[in-house]
Structures are given as structure tokens and as C-alpha cells.
Amino acid sequence: MDRFIIHGGKKLQGTVHISGSKNAALPILVATLLTDEPCVLHRVPNLRDVRTTLKILEYLGKKVEYKNNTVTITADGVLKNTLPYELVKQMRASFWVAGPLLARFKTAEIPLPGGCAIGVRPVDIHLKGFEKLGAECDIKSGNVMIHAPELTPAKIVLRFPSVGATQNLLMCACLIPGETILENVAKEPEVDDVIAFLNKMGADIRVGDKGQLIVQGKTALHGAEHTVVADRIETGSYILAACATRGDVTVTGCVPEHNSILLEDLQEAGFTLDITEDSVRVHSYGGDIKPVRVRTAPYPGFATDLQAPWMTLMTLCNGTAEVDEDIFENRFMHAPELVRMGANISTEKSVARVTGVKELSAAHVQASDLRGGMALVIAGLCAAGETEVERVYHIDRGYEKLEEKLTALGADIRRYNPEKNEF
């Protein structure tokens, strides 16, 4: 397995351009299952999860061409409505095919999905929504069996504003004639991007005056062309890396509004930011990093996917900061690894108390999940000496060309394969 070798202690300097959003690209790719007509998607990041999704589409019967971050998807025979565990186990987002397949076939069989080990993240919200639409759902031998003699429009109130369930149910409802209303839905920018693509395909989705999503279902959708929105988590990660290393970095091609809470918190912590419509510049800062308490919450709150990188920054604050993780349980697995690097962190249930230290020390650590892995990379960039980060396959799931982008900013980071003993 590859690992990163980082020689830290250098301030990041320069400009970095943000890739398309992984969390928008994956459901948009899946949404192409709703039509047999060609779809062209631009700014699709070349990531492990994206490549897995493309394999899933090919397995289900699509022809896929992927070049220079543009994906062209066309029909290639009869679609299937089942997936093998070998594909599903690699990524939780694979379950999103359930909505389109159910809409088109009135039946689907999908193994329970895998992904990062950051908590249960149940699919019951998806299933209860499908049941409201007329489906019967059973779990047998690790497989989710969904069957509907007839699908009918309905009013669905999600018990939690789940991003995945919102997108899955939207895709299904698009091909159910009549009016379906989804309430207590996720409001993340990635959901908005999926809606924009579905509407380009001929769907009729609008936001009601109380934030509900109103879908006028159609009998068929057509092909469309779309450019994926900028990745707000990658954006936030590079901004935090710049702050942690006390660097001077301009992040371009982003949507700062999507990270407004993070930017406000960074300014409260003492950093000076120049914010435009599509860029954020972090100015080099030599003062104390002030402790700031954050609590993760559904958008527009503080993003749970930025909690781990934020914690790395707070390890260097002057004082004690608290991090409340209110979205996922078991999402502090990076904390013990940061402690190995000299951080002072204590955790109790969903709260981490981070008392700042003057500096972090290089160490041999391992990533337990995608965003926790990025937190360790940022820590390695700050720590003098050589840090070795194992299990970078987690990080590869969400950051396109990470070592290339960081190297361009002046970081000393290299990918190393110990089995081949080569960089």
C-alpha cells in the first residue's frame, strides 16, 4: 500500500486550483442511469471513488469514456438491476443506484454498502422513503431487496436531512408521474448541483417556500451536459493547510460562499483572508492562533468533513478549543494519531478538547478514513522532520492529485510504495 513521506516545517506558498466536487460528481454520475441518452459531465475529479462509480455504471450496462476530467456516458445494451458485493463494498455512495434502478425496473437488489469506518450511517432513511413511494424493502444475507409492483408519488418527511437519502429519493421520484414532496431535506451545495443536473435532463424539481423539494415526476428523462460544482471540502482543506503552516496561499476556482462558516471561524481565530466570488487568499500570519469552538451540523453549518482538518489547526492554538461532532459517531479516530505527533487532545463521546501546543513532531501514523487522513497530512506539513502517513488509499478517495498540488505550493511530500521500494 502506498504511503506519503512528508518533510514538514515549510510554509505553503502560491496558488492552488480546486477540482470538481466528489460528493456532487458521484450522485450525478449515478443519475445518468435514469436515461438511455448520452450524458456529458465536465470537471469530474479523477478519484478512486469516481473510478469505482464508473466501474459500477459499466457493470450495470453503460458505456463510459473518461478523459481530461470529462465523462461521456452512453447506453451499451440492456441495463442490469443488481450489483455485486465486490463493487459495493468499496464505497458507501454505491447505494445511490437504488433510486434510479427502482424507478426504471420497479425492483433492485444491492448489497449493503461499505466506505469509511466513521459510524453506522444507516440506509434506513433511504428505505423508509422508498416504502413511502410504494416499495417493499427487505434485507436478506447482506443484500437489500427492493420491489414495487407500482410506484406512486408521496409526501416524505426525512427523520434526518441525509444528503444521500435526499439525492436517492429525488432520483427515484423524477420518474414517478405526479407530485412528490420531500421535507426536512439536505441543503448542501452538492444536492443543489444534483438538482441542477436532473432538471437539465428534463426533470421538474423546485424548492418550496419552506425549503421542501417538490418533484413533478415524468415518464422519461433525456441526456444532458453539465459541469460539476467546485469541491467545498477540498477548498476548505487547502485553506486549513495554508493556515496551519502559516502560509500565503490563494485558493481559486472555488465557491467561498459554500464555506462561509469555516471562513468566519478562521477570521475569529486570527487569520486574514481576502475573499472574492471564486477565490480565497490566506495571508501569512505570525500571531497566536485563537481557540475557536466548532460544532458540526448539516449545511450551512460547519461541515463534518472539515472537522478533522480543523482539529489539526486547533492543535496549534493558544488555549483550548472544543470540537463537537454531531453528525457521525466514531469520527475522532484521527485524534490518537495526532496525539502521536505531540498534540494534546482528549475525547469524550462526541466532544474533543484540544489544548494547543507550540509545535507538532514528525511521526509514523496511519489514516483511518478519508478526512482523518487529510488531517494527518496537514499535521505532517506542520511538523519538522519526516512524517510517514500509511493507508493513503483512504485519502485518494477524495483529493485529486494531492501530492502534486501540495508540491506546487512548496511542500515536500512524496508517494512511496514500500513493497516496490520506490517513490
Side-chain angles (χ1 to χ4, degrees):
M1 297 182 184
D2 288 354
R3 57 190 62 177
F4 286 138
I5 307 297
I6 305 170
H7 290 91
K10 298 181 178 181
K11 296 182 179 181
L12 297 183
Q13 307 265 356
T15 300
V16 61
H17 192 76
I18 296 304
S19 300
S21 168
K22 173 184 85 90
N23 290 339
L26 299 184
I28 287 173
L29 287 168
V30 169
T32 64
L33 292 169
L34 292 167
T35 182
D36 291 328
E37 296 185 13
C39 293
V40 179
L41 306 175
H42 304 289
R43 205 183 189 187
V44 178
N46 189 358
L47 300 169
R48 184 177 170 214
D49 278 8
V50 167
R51 294 190 295 271
T52 298
T53 302
L54 297 180
K55 290 179 183 178
I56 287 173
L57 292 178
E58 288 177 327
Y59 178 88
L60 290 173
K62 290 288 190 178
K63 181 180 179 182
V64 174
E65 296 179 8
Y66 187 26
K67 185 177 181 181
N68 297 328
N69 296 112
T70 292
V71 181
T72 302
I73 300 171
T74 54
D76 189 23
V78 179
L79 283 180
K80 301 175 184 176
N81 65 341
T82 62
L83 277 179
Y85 179 66
E86 285 304 309
L87 283 176
V88 173
K89 71 178 182 180
Q90 300 178 42
M91 176 184 72
R92 187 165 197 84
S94 56
F95 192 71
W96 294 342
V97 304
L101 294 182
L102 178 61
R104 296 203 65 180
F105 295 103
K106 306 301 184 289
T107 182
E109 180 178 343
I110 304 167
L112 285 170
C116 281
I118 58 172
V120 177
R121 302 203 289 182
V123 298
D124 69 295
I125 303 177
H126 303 242
L127 301 184
K128 290 184 184 302
F130 292 144
E131 288 172 349
K132 284 281 189 178
L133 296 171
E136 297 176 358
C137 305
D138 294 300
I139 299 177
K140 297 180 181 179
S141 302
N143 288 351
V144 180
M145 321 283 287
I146 310 172
H147 174 69
E150 182 181 359
L151 291 171
T152 55
K155 178 180 178 180
I156 303 171
V157 181
L158 305 186
R159 67 170 176 79
F160 176 82
S162 160
V163 174
T166 298
Q167 294 169 155
N168 214 346
L169 294 171
L170 271 179
M171 289 187 283
C172 188
C174 284
L175 288 182
I176 303 175
E179 183 176 273
T180 292
I181 299 175
L182 303 180
E183 296 185 356
N184 194 32
V185 294
K187 296 179 172 60
E188 274 72 2
E190 296 81 11
V191 175
D192 291 340
D193 208 36
V194 172
I195 291 172
F197 176 63
L198 290 171
N199 283 340
K200 287 180 181 179
M201 295 177 70
D204 183 352
I205 305 170
R206 63 182 177 88
V207 180
D209 54 6
K210 296 182 179 180
Q212 73 272 37
L213 294 177
I214 303 169
V215 185
Q216 299 294 337
K218 304 294 183 67
T219 57
L221 298 182
H222 53 71
E225 186 170 359
H226 184 73
T227 299
V228 176
V229 70
D231 194 312
R232 66 189 171 99
I233 305 304
E234 185 193 31
T235 299
S237 297
Y238 280 106
I239 290 172
L240 286 166
C243 292
T245 63
R246 307 300 188 104
D248 190 326
V249 174
T250 300
V251 180
T252 64
C254 61
V255 185
E257 180 184 353
H258 294 168
N259 282 299
S260 58
I261 295 295
L262 171 67
L263 300 181
E264 290 173 11
D265 288 339
L266 286 173
Q267 289 170 323
E268 184 179 345
F271 294 93
T272 299
L273 309 175
D274 288 341
I275 303 169
T276 71
E277 184 177 332
D278 62 355
S279 72
V280 176
R281 179 184 175 185
V282 178
H283 287 268
S284 184
Y285 175 60
D288 287 338
I289 299 175
K290 300 177 181 66
V292 178
R293 178 182 180 180
V294 300
R295 179 190 297 271
T296 63
Y299 188 84
F302 193 97
T304 180
D305 282 351
L306 290 174
Q307 174 258 109
W310 173 267
M311 187 180 292
T312 296
L313 176 66
M314 287 295 102
T315 64
L316 299 169
C317 76
N318 182 17
T320 298
E322 286 191 357
V323 178
D324 294 10
E325 176 52 67
D326 283 355
I327 303 298
F328 294 124
E329 74 282 6
N330 201 29
R331 204 169 194 180
F332 287 150
M333 289 187 291
H334 52 279
E337 299 299 287
L338 289 173
V339 170
R340 286 174 48 79
M341 300 183 70
N344 184 349
I345 304 170
S346 62
T347 62
E348 183 177 357
K349 295 183 179 179
S350 64
V351 179
R353 289 177 59 84
V354 186
T355 300
V357 296
K358 288 188 177 181
E359 60 184 16
L360 296 174
S361 55
H364 192 144
V365 293
Q366 61 182 20
S368 58
D369 60 82
L370 167 55
R371 307 305 175 182
M374 186 61 183
L376 299 179
V377 168
I378 295 174
L381 294 173
C382 297
E386 182 178 282
T387 293
E388 196 166 326
V389 182
E390 291 189 22
R391 298 182 178 176
V392 301
Y393 59 86
H394 285 299
I395 304 170
D396 290 339
R397 291 184 49 234
Y399 294 93
E400 184 178 40
K401 300 179 180 178
L402 177 62
E403 62 268 39
E404 293 181 31
K405 291 185 178 183
L406 287 174
T407 297
L409 294 174
D412 185 346
I413 177 173
R414 293 188 294 169
R415 184 180 292 263
Y416 174 67
N417 186 312
E419 294 181 359
K420 298 179 181 178
N421 191 27
E422 65 182 23
F423 287 95

